[in-house]
Amino acid sequence: MGTPESTTTERTIRTRAAELTDQPLTLLTVAVFWTWLVVRWTNDFLLDGALIERGTSFFPTAPFEAAASALGSLAASLGPVGFPVGWVAGFFEFLAASIPYLPELAIGVWATILLTVLGIALGFVIAVPLSVARVYGGTITRSLALGYTELFRGTPLLAQLFVLYFATPLTTVIRELPTVGTGFIPAQAFWVAVIAFTLNSAAYQSEYIRSALNSVPEGQLTAARAIGLSKVDGIRHVVLPQGLRYAIPGWSNELVYLIKYSSLASFITVRELFERTDAIASETYRYTELFVLAGLFYLALVISASLLMEYVEEQVAIPGLGTTGR
Amino acid sequence: MSDPLLALDDVYKSYGEEQVLSGVSFEMDAGDVDVVIGPSGSGKSTMLRCVNRLTEIDSGDIYLDGDCVTDADTDVNELRKQVGMVFQDFNLFAHLTALGNVTLGLRKVRGMDKATARERGYEHLEQVGLSDQADSYPAELSGGQKQRVGIARALAMDPKLLLFDEPTSALDPELVGEVVEVMRDLAAEGITMLVVSHEMGFARSAASDIIFLDEGRIVEHGPPEQLFENPQAARTGEFLSRLETTHEGE
């Protein structure tokens, strides 16, 4: 049932997540965001621009421009008291200015999501044995796992990306692989970033899972051993199913972090959301609009991830385990 | 006559400086119910855990059904299939239902398929009167029910010997009865049980032998009538009289 301390934190996180679902406006925004993304991707990737030409926005800019100029003149005619109307006009201007870049950013979002999902999923595959080694390993495995974790948590992610990209032959090796950089398959830099995020995220995830494993009472494994399960089987069938449930709230944090950290991949030329935003901004000098837009996209992704994790937590909830079942 | 089912021969165990078991020897036959009593810290639980090697002994031998189980090359998982254990704080698998708790060993240790394991699991829950709680999670059960599931879980492995480590100590007084009743039924069915418990009612009515352990040594070992009515050692009498006063009416 965890320590009283961890229960409190988990509860706080839960309340926060529950607050999210209680917001119909949030849900609506997330739904609109995802519908747009999926339609955009389907059009650009699968239908070869059948609905609308690639790179052309679904939304016309003219109405927003008209609204902006109408409100602008209204604000001017109102004189000194017209400034709130001016703000609204500014908002419409922002929308009109942003619309042409939406298609390009949607493609960037695709790369960001792919990077994050692959990084977190592959990282999880490494993190589980890593955390088990930390909690149940012998002296040597334990220190190896600790060394790994400290190395990847203790050095900057950007440095890890640079080392993998520039200082190892990884780039050349991946480039030579068939299909890399053709069609749907992103180019080598993307895969180097996936490897970096996997290795880095594994270290962080293993910390969350390790502390969750520690909160599984010792008697659980003892009881598993007592019915004749080997240590490995006991961990697999008894400790992990409980520990991983405890780990969900903390692990969700890592997912949220990784969504935003994935922007670092832009430094090794991966064309994800941040890189595309930056590229357009330096061409058009519309830095404010574009980075506000990118920020909103990251926010939408983070809120989506929180909602997803809340759903997962509810689905796997067991009475008396963690907080959800109470 | 055949070998005793369980035999401890001069077993020693220490934790660092602290000597917990100092030359413990006794035997019990199949069908026996031996109850181990003694002051706290006397090594009762340690002795029990040595039998299924949750704790490793320092020296001596333990035999189960004629086989020395303390040999270095004994497969502990094989041993534990034959020796069930019931814990003081239940240790039910918190993520599994009552039925799941009983069937985990059947499936993952005995390699039974799911349907057969479920069938067997139900039978054992029935045996402890809990087949109606098969789908309840441990958190949804009372302490007494939890312990009965714990007993069913141990029984399901069809062990030669059942170890009980203070099975009623963590229970509210009003829940002790249902667990003791199940244990009495098992004793009557001829299941071999080694029980660490201060449930004197159970000891008097169900025990073949009482073992009084103090400071890691067996001070006295004999049938309940002898220990309760006519203890040979002074310390046994002292301990029992203290126990009777504290446990009166339970």
Side-chain angles (χ1 to χ4, degrees):
Chain A
M1 257 147 254
T3 59
E5 200 184 331
S6 76
T7 313
T8 329
T9 12
E10 278 162 14
R11 266 214 189 117
T12 323
I13 291 165
R14 255 214 70 69
T15 322
R16 247 201 52 224
E19 273 169 10
L20 276 181
T21 24
D22 291 343
Q23 301 276 344
L25 204 63
T26 313
L27 285 178
L28 183 71
T29 313
V30 167
V32 168
F33 175 68
W34 280 95
T35 312
W36 167 70
L37 276 180
V38 169
V39 173
R40 193 76 239 179
W41 294 337
T42 315
N43 177 67
D44 289 14
F45 293 141
L46 299 175
L47 302 178
D48 205 17
L51 301 176
I52 195 162
E53 200 184 322
R54 278 210 191 100
T56 310
S57 182
F58 286 131
F59 314 103
T61 51
F64 297 102
E65 276 165 358
S69 75
L71 287 165
S73 22
L74 177 64
S77 67
L78 286 174
V81 291
F83 65 93
V85 182
W87 290 344
V88 180
F91 175 67
F92 278 102
E93 253 170 62
F94 166 73
L95 287 179
S98 309
I99 282 170
Y101 312 121
L102 290 177
E104 169 104 27
L105 295 184
I107 307 304
V109 171
W110 169 250
T112 291
I113 291 174
L114 211 57
L115 263 180
T116 309
V117 169
L118 287 173
I120 201 98
L122 297 174
F124 180 74
V125 173
I126 300 178
V128 170
L130 208 54
S131 49
V132 169
R134 283 286 297 284
V135 180
Y136 296 103
T139 323
I140 294 170
T141 37
R142 204 170 4 199
S143 28
L144 282 178
L146 177 68
Y148 177 93
T149 313
E150 292 304 306
L151 177 68
F152 280 94
R153 290 201 321 148
T155 54
L157 177 54
L158 189 56
Q160 294 162 19
L161 277 166
F162 278 176
V163 167
L164 284 179
Y165 189 66
F166 295 114
T168 67
L170 213 52
T171 323
T172 339
V173 172
I174 295 173
R175 192 171 47 207
E176 300 306 319
L177 294 176
T179 74
V180 164
T182 59
F184 287 103
I185 321 287
Q188 62 273 11
F190 175 89
W191 298 107
V192 175
V194 166
I195 293 171
F197 289 147
T198 298
L199 296 176
N200 181 276
S201 161
Y204 280 97
Q205 291 185 56
S206 80
E207 277 297 294
Y208 288 117
I209 299 172
R210 181 186 66 89
S211 64
L213 291 183
N214 276 329
S215 66
V216 175
E218 220 183 303
Q220 293 288 311
L221 186 58
T222 310
R225 301 296 322 259
I227 59 169
L229 285 170
S230 67
K231 191 173 175 184
V232 172
D233 281 343
I235 291 169
R236 189 170 134 212
H237 297 298
V238 175
V239 178
L240 277 176
Q242 298 180 38
L244 291 180
R245 284 179 168 86
Y246 288 133
I248 292 175
W251 189 87
S252 305
N253 273 340
E254 172 58 16
L255 177 60
V256 163
Y257 280 127
L258 195 60
I259 290 172
K260 292 170 292 173
Y261 279 135
S262 69
S263 59
L264 288 177
S266 63
F267 283 91
I268 59 164
T269 75
V270 177
R271 306 222 59 207
E272 43 66 73
L273 178 55
F274 187 87
E275 198 277 342
R276 282 178 194 261
T277 309
D278 194 43
I280 306 171
S282 46
E283 252 174 53
T284 61
Y285 296 102
R286 288 190 175 276
Y287 283 97
T288 313
E289 284 92 344
L290 279 154
F291 281 105
V292 167
L293 209 55
L296 290 174
F297 282 3
Y298 278 112
L299 182 63
L301 290 178
V302 165
I303 291 174
S304 306
S306 302
L307 290 172
L308 177 72
M309 288 318 295
E310 189 200 343
Y311 175 76
V312 168
E313 202 180 343
E314 261 167 30
Q315 289 303 301
V316 301
I318 283 174
L321 255 193
T323 53
T324 35
R326 272 189 252 259
Chain B
M1 193 43 209
S2 63
D3 289 326
L5 182 82
L6 176 71
L8 273 69
D9 183 19
D10 206 21
V11 170
Y12 281 81
K13 171 71 191 174
S14 62
Y15 292 116
E17 292 288 290
E18 194 196 344
Q19 194 68 37
V20 186
L21 297 176
S22 311
V24 170
S25 305
F26 72 90
E27 294 180 356
M28 60 189 289
D29 291 323
D32 278 0
V33 176
D34 282 13
V35 173
V36 185
I37 59 173
S40 85
S42 59
K44 308 182 296 285
S45 291
T46 303
M47 183 180 87
L48 217 57
R49 294 167 69 96
C50 287
V51 172
N52 65 351
R53 289 185 60 178
L54 286 176
T55 299
E56 297 290 345
I57 62 174
D58 297 338
S59 68
D61 293 299
I62 298 176
Y63 298 89
L64 181 73
D65 221 0
D67 299 324
C68 182
V69 297
T70 39
D71 273 347
D73 59 354
T74 303
D75 180 345
V76 289
N77 298 328
E78 247 351 275
L79 162 67
R80 289 170 189 158
K81 283 191 208 170
Q82 303 173 40
V83 182
M85 189 168 208
V86 175
F87 298 90
Q88 178 175 0
D89 38 12
F90 328 127
N91 288 348
L92 290 190
F93 304 132
H95 64 302
L96 296 175
T97 60
L99 186 63
N101 266 276
V102 180
T103 54
L104 184 73
L106 294 176
R107 293 177 53 203
K108 304 299 175 191
V109 179
R110 294 257 186 246
M112 265 182 210
D113 64 83
K114 209 171 173 179
T116 321
R118 280 180 70 90
E119 210 171 293
R120 278 279 299 274
Y122 266 112
E123 279 168 29
H124 288 292
L125 284 177
E126 187 80 63
Q127 204 174 353
V128 298
L130 280 176
S131 49
D132 56 332
Q133 297 288 344
D135 297 324
S136 301
Y137 285 97
E140 300 167 326
L141 298 172
S142 73
Q145 289 174 326
K146 280 182 199 170
Q147 194 55 295
R148 282 147 71 196
V149 174
I151 294 172
R153 174 174 72 180
L155 274 177
M157 299 305 287
D158 207 7
K160 290 177 179 167
L161 169 68
L162 262 186
L163 307 172
F164 289 80
D165 189 4
E166 308 206 26
T168 56
S169 309
L171 294 175
D172 289 337
E174 76 270 21
L175 301 176
V176 168
E178 57 186 270
V179 172
V180 168
E181 198 179 316
V182 168
M183 290 168 65
R184 266 203 195 101
D185 290 345
L186 298 181
E189 282 170 38
I191 289 173
T192 317
M193 297 156 68
L194 182 57
V195 183
V196 171
S197 174
H198 290 155
E199 261 334 295
M200 286 304 124
F202 175 78
R204 276 176 198 281
S205 60
S208 332
D209 269 337
I210 308 280
I211 296 168
F212 175 51
L213 202 64
D214 191 17
E215 290 175 352
R217 280 173 229 274
I218 293 181
V219 177
E220 196 160 351
H221 179 187
E225 313 81 68
Q226 178 200 313
L227 258 93
F228 289 126
E229 311 310 334
N230 187 21
Q232 305 297 299
R235 264 190 295 168
T236 318
E238 263 167 52
F239 177 74
L240 282 172
S241 62
R242 260 186 293 143
L243 210 59
E244 297 285 313
T245 41
T246 44
H247 280 250
E248 201 111 317
E250 274 180 23

